[in-house]
Amino acid sequence: MIAWVPSICVSSHQISSNVLEIRTKLRFNYGCLDWNRKRTCRKFVLRALSDSGSSVDDNKRIQNEVVDAKRGRVLLENLKFQAARLQETVSYFPPVVFVMKRQSGTNFAIGLCILATILVIAVRLYVVKKSRYSHPGSVADLVRRGQLRSDRRGISAPLKYEDPFNNPLVKVGKSTSTIEMCGKVYRLAPVTLTKEQQTIHQKRRSHAYQWKRPTIFLREGDPIPPDVDPDTIRWIPANHPFATTATDIDEDLAQNNMYQKHGVPFRIQAEHEALQRKLEALQSGQKLNKLVVDPGAAKDFERPFKSHLKPDERVEQSLPSNHLGSNPSKSKQVPNSFGSNSNSEEMPKA
Amino acid sequence: MSRESAAPQTPKPYHYQRTKPSSRNKSSTRSVLQYNRKPQLAGETPRVVVITSGKGGVGKTTTTANVGLSLARHGFSVVAIDADVGLRNLDLLLGLENRVNYTVIEVLNGDCRLDQALVRDKRWSNFELLCISKPRSKLPIGFGGKALVWLVDALKDRQEGCPDFILIDCPAGIDAGFITAITPANEAVLVTTPDITSLRDADRVTGLLECDGIKDIKMIVNRVRTDLIRGEDMMSVLDVQEMLGLALLGVIPEDSEVIRSTNRGFPLVLNKPPTLAGLAFEQAAWRLVEQDSMQAVMVEEEPKKRGFFSFFGG
């Protein structure tokens, strides 16, 4: 047995997969041998124990010993045969260098395979990256759609999760202490807040935050009106971005506007009526002009209208000359009490 | 509209019993999973709910959009009011920004009628959006609260019928915008995240709401991460509840889909397949309808049972 090891060591630099296979086989055989030897030993022990037998038994025993000795010899021969076979095998296979040299013809194919693999990985990465950027809702998607140019948003196909009453993605475990949502199992813990604890918290807060809702809003620097609780005053800075303390609001009118259900909104109607009156006045004024006009002063009509004047001013200018006195009453002018330039700003986006 | 006359609905009593965990678990399960039926509307309509937080960026507008659309999907008529005068965003989240031509300011001015200012969602026709003002217009401060009360009254008397829910998206802070937003409300949903800055503001806002007479306050804990809670890097939902002492309406897990849905102008609850946060919003909406609160919370993710072939990736 000891002789095998160096031979394998010597040939270790030439080990190929076949050689290794043989080696494992050898190990197996060695195991078998070992097992046989143990069995032999057991027989010797048995013989020692049954030493008090007759002469017949002695003869049998001698025969047995002979047989055992023969078996041992056969085993040793087997072993030697195995070793010889291994040596033959080792000497049969050429060294690895020669094996490599012989396979050099396939190197090109292997290289090609590796190149193809790298190419496939690169293409896949590129595709994934591209698909990521075109994902709906991503920043790139927003850029593609023009950074909150939201009119484009409606184009993307809406996802509608139709049925909220039958959701297969929520399941409760049999023990009712777990819940499965979206494929993940979560452990449930009971809520421990009691009504008493809630009351204690409410009392704590009522002590900590004594607050009165502000009823009067004053700009910084305004005098505090008499009989007003100072706690209910909210001071608004003069440069507040969207708050104003202007109080020139007709509250009744605003309330009526809020409650209006049908018809033309108040302001639109008022503007319309005002314009109508102006138009009528203009029309009647033109008629009178025609009557009054001196044919000798026809040059005046050839001159273009003063472009820098607004139409309203033109009307107002023309009316006094006609002595009609049909000025639209000032009370009909509806002030935009909220100071919002709502007509000009925030036009609907294209 | 006086708050007393609206009779704020008291939340259902808690059935928590420390000695009987088994019965508690059963009831909790029922409150967690309430699908396969339509929720029963509790309380008088319209339910005027203000969604507030104190701190900015915790998810008030996201909550308003998602809870509002969930309610609409459950078959209730909803009007969502963006009461954020200076920085309105609800229209963006709902993808309705192109359709906002008139606001409450124009209605009060008489430039349009109220029904013209309401923007009806095309996806769910029983959901309508109303913005209080355009970004650069100025609102007289003391007038905003009154205007909202008139608005709620006008919505009650609509031809189409009174809406079931009026959700008011409150601006951050406790400034004039907050006062305006809470004026007509009967109940409040407090949105908070499990961090101390948000909790301090939430506690203060709750105090102010209670001082103002709004007693029905429930909270939604947003952006919860179970992995951080497990590592004790984040307060658990039960810790938050212990600090604020408020009933839980919902727990929303952190979800990357929120950003995507915000950018798309398409609320999470309409996503198919539904996301974890979307489902949580849906359940919160369910509890809001029934004036219910959570009896159990999801604590942590349990490791999945691995099969025999899991070693091979099965």
Side-chain angles (χ1 to χ4, degrees):
Chain A
M1 268 309 294
I2 300 163
W4 300 122
V5 180
S7 68
I8 288 169
C9 285
V10 165
S11 61
S12 63
H13 64 279
Q14 293 179 354
I15 285 171
S16 67
S17 59
N18 291 333
V19 176
L20 281 173
E21 222 169 50
I22 289 161
R23 193 177 170 187
T24 51
K25 273 181 187 172
L26 267 173
R27 276 190 173 174
F28 178 70
N29 287 340
Y30 175 79
C32 285
L33 281 173
D34 202 9
W35 179 75
N36 282 339
R37 200 168 51 183
K38 274 176 189 167
R39 208 166 51 180
T40 322
C41 289
R42 210 161 45 205
K43 275 181 183 173
F44 278 123
V45 173
L46 280 171
R47 190 189 59 192
L49 283 171
S50 58
D51 212 13
S52 57
S54 60
S55 60
V56 181
D57 287 342
D58 286 344
N59 287 337
K60 276 184 183 174
R61 196 180 60 211
I62 290 160
Q63 278 175 3
N64 279 342
E65 277 175 3
V66 170
V67 169
D68 284 347
K70 273 182 183 173
R71 273 184 193 164
R73 238 176 279 140
V74 168
L75 281 171
L76 270 173
E77 278 169 6
N78 272 344
L79 209 60
K80 278 179 184 170
F81 174 69
Q82 298 270 5
R85 230 174 64 180
L86 178 67
Q87 274 176 338
E88 276 174 16
T89 316
V90 169
S91 58
Y92 173 75
F93 285 110
V96 176
V97 182
F98 294 116
V99 173
M100 289 296 289
K101 273 183 182 172
R102 204 173 58 186
Q103 289 175 347
S104 61
T106 58
N107 278 354
F108 178 72
I110 292 166
L112 204 67
C113 281
I114 291 166
L115 253 176
T117 314
I118 290 166
L119 201 69
V120 165
I121 290 166
V123 167
R124 193 172 168 276
L125 279 175
Y126 174 72
V127 167
V128 166
K129 209 173 176 183
K130 207 177 174 187
S131 69
R132 191 190 299 155
Y133 283 120
S134 66
H135 205 276
S138 67
V139 176
D141 189 34
L142 284 179
V143 173
R144 186 173 60 78
R145 285 183 279 131
Q147 284 276 7
L148 295 181
R149 279 288 301 278
S150 43
D151 50 328
R152 301 273 181 86
R153 282 199 197 178
I155 296 167
S156 59
L159 302 169
K160 274 190 184 179
Y161 167 43
E162 292 289 355
D163 190 3
F165 303 116
N166 184 20
N167 194 335
L169 286 168
V170 182
K171 294 168 192 165
V172 171
K174 282 174 188 171
S175 61
T176 68
S177 63
T178 56
I179 185 167
E180 188 181 331
M181 286 177 79
C182 297
K184 287 178 181 174
V185 182
Y186 292 91
R187 194 164 60 80
L188 291 175
V191 165
T192 52
L193 185 77
T194 57
K195 199 74 185 169
E196 292 76 38
Q197 285 174 330
Q198 257 183 307
T199 319
I200 290 166
H201 274 285
Q202 276 181 6
K203 278 181 185 167
R204 173 184 63 79
R205 275 192 288 260
S206 70
H207 284 297
Y209 312 116
Q210 289 171 353
W211 184 69
K212 285 178 186 169
R213 180 208 289 269
T215 51
I216 291 182
F217 296 86
L218 294 175
R219 191 172 291 151
E220 280 173 357
D222 285 354
I224 301 172
D227 62 273
V228 167
D229 184 0
D231 289 344
T232 59
I233 295 174
R234 177 71 99 184
W235 295 98
I236 305 296
N239 60 347
H240 197 289
F242 53 84
T244 170
T245 53
T247 51
D248 54 340
I249 305 161
D250 188 347
E251 289 198 5
D252 292 333
L253 183 65
Q255 195 171 5
N256 286 337
N257 289 340
M258 184 63 86
Y259 290 142
Q260 187 181 1
K261 288 176 191 166
H262 307 285
V264 184
F266 169 77
R267 191 180 163 81
I268 305 289
Q269 192 166 7
E271 280 180 357
H272 179 76
E273 283 171 3
L275 279 173
Q276 191 77 29
R277 272 193 296 276
K278 280 179 187 173
L279 190 67
E280 280 170 9
L282 185 66
Q283 281 172 347
S284 58
Q286 278 176 343
K287 276 177 193 171
L288 285 172
N289 266 344
K290 274 182 187 173
L291 291 174
V292 175
V293 150
D294 183 12
K299 276 184 182 177
D300 292 345
F301 288 93
E302 288 170 11
R303 280 192 310 190
F305 283 107
K306 287 174 184 177
S307 58
H308 69 276
L309 288 177
K310 290 179 181 175
D312 295 356
E313 287 170 341
R314 273 182 232 138
V315 173
E316 281 169 7
Q317 271 193 345
S318 65
L319 286 175
S321 65
N322 300 330
H323 306 289
L324 282 170
S326 63
N327 269 336
S329 62
K330 245 190 173 179
S331 62
K332 297 289 179 187
Q333 299 273 349
V334 184
N336 189 349
S337 54
F338 297 99
S340 62
N341 45 352
S342 57
N343 294 334
S344 59
E345 78 167 2
E346 288 279 313
M347 290 301 284
K349 293 164 197 169
Chain B
M1 190 185 69
S2 67
R3 184 158 297 127
E4 288 75 22
S5 64
Q9 298 295 314
T10 51
K12 285 179 184 174
Y14 290 95
H15 300 294
Y16 171 67
Q17 293 168 345
R18 198 177 286 275
T19 50
K20 292 180 182 175
S22 58
S23 65
R24 187 177 62 226
N25 277 347
K26 275 180 190 172
S27 66
S28 72
T29 306
R30 259 181 261 125
S31 73
V32 165
L33 184 73
Q34 305 183 38
Y35 291 101
N36 304 320
R37 68 176 175 87
K38 189 179 173 178
Q40 287 179 332
L41 182 61
E44 284 180 18
T45 53
R47 300 253 309 265
V48 187
V49 184
V50 63
I51 295 169
T52 183
S53 71
K55 188 175 175 292
V58 293
K60 291 179 294 294
T61 309
T62 311
T63 304
T64 311
N66 283 289
V67 169
L69 265 180
S70 281
L71 292 171
R73 292 174 72 226
H74 288 147
F76 301 102
S77 59
V78 181
V79 175
I81 300 172
D82 193 344
D84 204 333
V85 178
L87 305 162
R88 73 163 201 228
N89 278 321
L90 186 58
D91 52 338
L92 273 174
L93 258 78
L94 292 163
L96 297 174
E97 68 276 21
N98 279 331
R99 297 179 53 208
V100 180
N101 292 323
Y102 297 118
T103 63
V104 171
I105 294 288
E106 277 81 44
V107 177
L108 291 167
N109 265 337
D111 288 327
C112 69
R113 292 189 313 270
L114 176 59
D115 59 304
Q116 292 172 317
L118 286 163
V119 180
R120 193 177 289 276
D121 196 321
K122 284 176 183 168
R123 297 163 289 199
W124 298 95
S125 59
N126 45 355
F127 182 90
E128 285 165 303
L129 170 72
L130 182 64
C131 295
I132 222 172
S133 71
K134 285 171 178 168
R136 285 184 292 280
S137 57
K138 286 204 167 192
L139 183 74
I141 284 293
F143 185 65
K146 265 185 218 168
L148 276 190
V149 172
W150 295 340
L151 172 64
V152 170
D153 283 343
L155 288 171
K156 270 186 191 173
D157 300 331
R158 271 204 311 179
Q159 267 188 326
E160 303 95 287
C162 170
D164 297 315
F165 285 92
I166 298 173
L167 302 182
I168 303 171
D169 182 22
C170 184
I174 50 170
D175 207 355
F178 168 76
I179 297 160
T180 302
I182 65 167
T183 305
N186 297 324
E187 45 191 298
V189 173
L190 190 88
V191 184
T192 183
T193 50
D195 57 89
I196 50 167
T197 52
S198 176
L199 284 178
R200 180 190 274 179
D201 291 0
D203 192 62
R204 182 150 172 73
V205 162
T206 313
L208 301 187
L209 290 170
E210 283 168 351
C211 288
D212 201 48
I214 301 174
K215 300 292 179 193
D216 187 359
I217 308 169
K218 293 199 180 76
M219 69 169 171
I220 286 182
V221 185
N222 197 11
R223 307 187 71 174
V224 173
R225 283 185 61 177
T226 48
D227 55 335
L228 289 184
I229 291 170
R230 194 170 47 214
E232 298 195 342
D233 293 320
M234 182 181 266
M235 270 183 275
S236 76
V237 178
L238 296 180
D239 291 338
V240 171
Q241 199 178 28
E242 197 183 318
M243 285 180 78
L244 293 179
L246 292 172
L248 262 175
L249 189 69
V251 177
I252 316 297
E254 174 89 47
D255 198 336
S256 60
E257 278 296 316
V258 175
I259 296 168
R260 199 173 290 161
S261 78
T262 304
N263 286 343
R264 287 193 75 202
F266 208 85
L268 273 178
V269 289
L270 302 181
N271 267 16
K272 189 179 179 181
T275 59
L276 210 56
L279 286 174
F281 274 124
E282 209 163 66
Q283 290 178 354
W286 193 288
R287 289 185 204 102
L288 185 68
V289 173
E290 299 201 335
Q291 290 191 327
D292 197 5
S293 59
M294 285 182 92
Q295 302 295 312
V297 291
M298 294 196 300
V299 183
E300 61 180 16
E301 197 179 327
E302 279 203 345
K304 269 211 143 184
K305 286 174 186 174
R306 299 181 76 86
F308 181 73
F309 293 106
S310 59
F311 180 75
F312 303 103

